[in-house]
Amino acid sequence: MNVSWYPGHMTKAKRMMAEDIKIIDLVIELLDARIPVSSRNPDIDELAKGKSRLVILNKSDLADPASNEQWVRYFSEKGLVTVLIDSKNRKGFSAISRSIDEACKAKLERDKKRGIIGRPVRAMVVGIPNVGKSTFINSLCKRASTKTGNKPGVTKGKQWIKLNKSVELLDTPGILWPKFENETIGQNLAFIGSINDEILDEVELSLNLIDVIRKLLPGALTKRFGTGEEGSSHDILGDIAVKRGSIKAGGEADYDKAARMVLTDFRAGLLGNITLEIP
Ligand code: G4P
C-alpha cells in the first residue's frame, strides 16, 4: 500500500510552527506510544535545535505496557527526558512538572550563571495531527492554575497557561507534518487513524492490520470476533463479517463493513494493548 499525503494546510502549519518556536525554551514533543517512530517528525531535531526537550508518549493506555517501558528507556538513552501519559484519562500527569524541571535543568543553570533568575520557562506542545495535543493541553489546563492572558509586546496574541511558578505553556500546539519515509510508516499512521480514511482503501488496510495483529498479539482476533486466525487475512475478514452479521442483500459477506469494524475496534483499543513498533 502506498500512502503519500501532504495537504496544503501543512505548509501553513510548518510556517506557524517555525515562527512560534522562536520564543520557546522547551519543546514538548507528543508521540503516539503505539508508533513512537512513525508518529515522529524526523525534522524535529533540526526545528528544536538549541531548545530544552521533553518527549511524551501519549495514548500509553492503548499500547503494550512492556513496550512502553522499552520506549521510555530508548528515548532516555538518547538523552531525552521521557514520560508516559494517557491524556484521555488524565493518567501520568503527576510526573510532568518534575520532568519539565529535569528537561530544563541545563537551561536554568545557564540562565543563573548569566544572572537571569526567575524568568519563566516558555513551553510549547508539538506533534503530528491526532496524536492527542489538544487533549493533553486541556488535561494540563485542568491541573494548572490560570491562563496568563495576552502579554503585550513579545507574545502578542498568544495565550499562555501558567503550569507552575516557573513554567508557562503556549495554549495552541504546534502541528508537525507526518513523514511518509517508507511504506511501513505510512501504513502505521493509517492503522492508528492519522490519515483520513477517505483516501485509503479500508479493506486493504484492514487486511494488512489483521496480519499485523495476529503476529503481534495472537488470539486477539479470536477473542474479539470469535474467528480463527489461520489462513489468509481475506478469509479472516470474511469470517468477521459473517460472525458480526455483516451480510449484503445477496447473501455475501460485507467486506467494507467488516474492514471498518476491525479498524475502529483496533483504534479504540478493543483488540487489546498493541504496540506496532519495538525499539
Ligand atoms: P490533536 O490535537 O493532536 O490533533 O489530537 P486530539 O487531542 O484531538 O486527540 C485525538 C483523539 O485521540 C481524540 O479522540 C482524543 O480523545 C484521543 N486521545 C487523546 N489522548 C489520548 C490518550 O492518551 N488515550 C486515548 N485512548 N485516547 C486519546 P476522538 O475519538 O477524536 O475524540 P473523542 O471522541 O475522544 O473526544
Side-chain angles (χ1 to χ4, degrees), residues 58-59 61-62 86-88 128-135:
N58 193 40
K59 307 202 187 187
D61 55 309
L62 301 174
D86 164 3
S87 296
K88 196 166 181 170
I128 64 166
N130 211 33
V131 81
K133 297 179 294 300
S134 312
T135 314

Side-chain angles (χ1 to χ4, degrees), residues 74-91:
Y74 170 87
F75 286 111
S76 303
E77 279 164 11
K78 282 181 168 283
L80 293 160
V81 182
T82 308
V83 192
L84 283 170
I85 290 282
D86 164 3
S87 296
K88 196 166 181 170
N89 303 296
R90 297 173 66 194
K91 292 210 175 111

Side-chain angles (χ1 to χ4, degrees), residues 221-255:
L221 293 165
T222 305
K223 193 168 167 208
R224 177 73 190 159
F225 301 111
T227 59
E229 298 194 353
E230 300 299 323
S232 77
S233 49
H234 191 265
D235 288 346
I236 295 175
L237 188 62
D239 202 11
I240 290 173
V242 173
K243 290 267 182 347
R244 285 299 170 95
S246 298
I247 308 295
K248 287 188 186 167
E252 43 176 307
D254 190 336
Y255 283 83

Side-chain angles (χ1 to χ4, degrees), residues 5 10 28 89 109 117 133 152 170 184 193 202 221 229 238 268:
W5 165 84
M10 284 296 168
I28 302 178
N89 303 296
E109 275 166 14
I117 293 166
K133 297 179 294 300
L170 190 61
T184 310
E202 288 187 324
L221 293 165
E229 298 194 353

